[in-house]
Amino acid sequence: MSTASLVGFIGFGAMASRMGANLAKAGYGLVAYTPSGKGGDGSTRFVPTPRALAQEADVVIVCVPDDEALEASLQGADGVLAGMKPGSLLINTSTVAPETSVALAEQGKALGLTVIDAPVAGSTPEAESGNLIILAGGTAEAISRAQPMFDAMGRLTIHAGPAGSGSRLKLVINGIMGATLAVVAEGVTYGLASGLERDMLYDALDAVPVISPHHKRKLKAAKAGDFSPQFPTRLMQKDMRLLLTDGARQMAPLPAMAAATQSLSLTRRRYPNEDYSALFAVMESMVANTP
């Protein structure tokens, strides 16, 4: 893939804009469309419809919140698929249901397109520094074609398997991430309820190796009461829901992840747009009578 290629982004929010910045540093041209109609910082050109973007771009990268937004952006007379030329490459970095990724790959094949499901592991800090992990589903040929772009956006590409495999691997990772945070929050809840001093408790958990670096970052934020969204609760709870739905389809027992989803559902109701670590605030409020 030549670095002269024009990459079009459908969705240009916190993650995509940082991914785009790294592609621009690598020499790619950028054009974008946002479903909200908002966007534009002077360095990226925005177009009025997904179809208009697809007619211009050599590669389309989709980064939208959920299955519904993906459908709205891709399908219909003004959708991406109506504007893409045969032979073009479509990369979906959105976290969506695995069956959605499989269906999109089949639809793309019928239109002569190459489609990769490529959700990413990492939050906004990793997106900004180019240290994302790309979880790619598709053919080896397709992954090879996209590899220069993946290298610009991330530090590692994992070819998870055929279409839909990237989506499945992303649900595995986010399920572990969400369920583990819920367990850490429960530990904090017990500690506070039993009378342990709050700052000591948070500092102790930050010092021990049993807590992952990711969750130590969340602990620091929770101690300070800073839930600025790196991964909003509404998206984490959505991913847990997708995991449980596909898990039931696969007859995979997920009792711990199911329990964590209930806590994250409560958190989403109270803090939908804050970071999912706001679960700490929910749990603390139960035992400390804090807001």
Side-chain angles (χ1 to χ4, degrees):
M1 182 71 63
S2 166
T3 54
S5 295
L6 181 65
V7 177
F9 273 89
I10 300 293
F12 208 61
M15 291 292 289
S17 60
R18 289 167 169 82
M19 292 156 66
N22 285 318
L23 286 172
K25 289 176 186 175
Y28 292 87
L30 298 181
V31 62
Y33 164 82
T34 56
S36 67
K38 300 176 182 177
D41 56 6
S43 61
T44 302
R45 181 168 55 87
F46 284 72
V47 295
T49 67
R51 179 175 181 170
L53 178 142
Q55 288 172 329
E56 285 192 46
D58 302 299
V59 178
V60 175
I61 298 178
V62 187
C63 189
V64 294
D66 51 33
D67 288 65
E68 293 77 14
L70 183 68
E71 172 84 9
S73 296
L74 294 185
Q75 309 297 335
D78 283 328
V80 166
L81 295 176
M84 290 189 76
K85 301 174 286 291
S88 298
L89 177 61
L90 174 63
I91 302 171
N92 180 30
T93 67
S94 317
T95 302
V96 296
E99 67 265 26
T100 299
S101 294
V102 172
L104 178 58
E106 292 174 350
Q107 185 179 12
K109 184 176 180 180
L111 295 171
L113 308 175
T114 298
V115 179
I116 302 171
D117 50 285
V120 300
S123 296
T124 49
E126 289 79 19
E128 186 162 351
S129 63
N131 280 306
L132 294 169
I133 298 177
I134 315 296
L135 313 170
T139 66
E141 180 182 8
I143 307 305
S144 177
R145 182 177 173 188
Q147 195 63 60
M149 289 175 288
F150 291 160
D151 289 343
M153 296 185 291
R155 64 176 176 84
L156 175 67
T157 299
I158 297 174
H159 185 187
S165 300
S167 295
R168 293 186 181 97
L169 182 55
K170 178 61 182 290
L171 294 182
V172 170
I173 292 167
N174 280 16
I176 292 170
M177 187 165 68
T180 304
L181 185 97
V183 170
V184 176
E186 287 184 15
V188 168
T189 301
Y190 162 72
L192 294 175
S194 70
L196 293 178
E197 196 275 323
R198 185 178 186 274
D199 286 352
M200 180 283 298
L201 176 58
Y202 274 98
D203 290 345
L205 291 175
D206 184 53
V208 297
V210 71
I211 309 293
S212 73
H214 173 84
H215 289 102
K216 286 186 178 183
R217 193 162 72 197
K218 300 305 181 187
L219 276 166
K220 285 186 172 71
K223 179 185 177 185
D226 178 9
F227 302 111
S228 303
Q230 294 182 348
F231 190 3
T233 305
R234 59 185 168 80
L235 297 183
M236 171 56 90
Q237 188 267 355
K238 178 265 300 182
D239 292 353
M240 299 297 284
R241 171 176 56 82
L242 293 176
L243 172 63
L244 292 184
T245 299
D246 203 50
R249 182 177 291 113
Q250 307 299 336
M251 296 173 286
L254 308 173
M257 291 178 178
T261 303
Q262 305 311 307
S263 296
L264 287 163
S265 291
L266 175 60
T267 307
R268 180 175 180 175
R269 185 165 287 278
R270 292 188 58 181
Y271 301 102
N273 297 311
E274 303 301 312
D275 192 81
Y276 82 105
S277 57
L279 174 58
F280 284 101
V282 171
M283 298 296 283
E284 280 199 51
S285 71
M286 294 180 182
V287 296
N289 295 318
T290 56

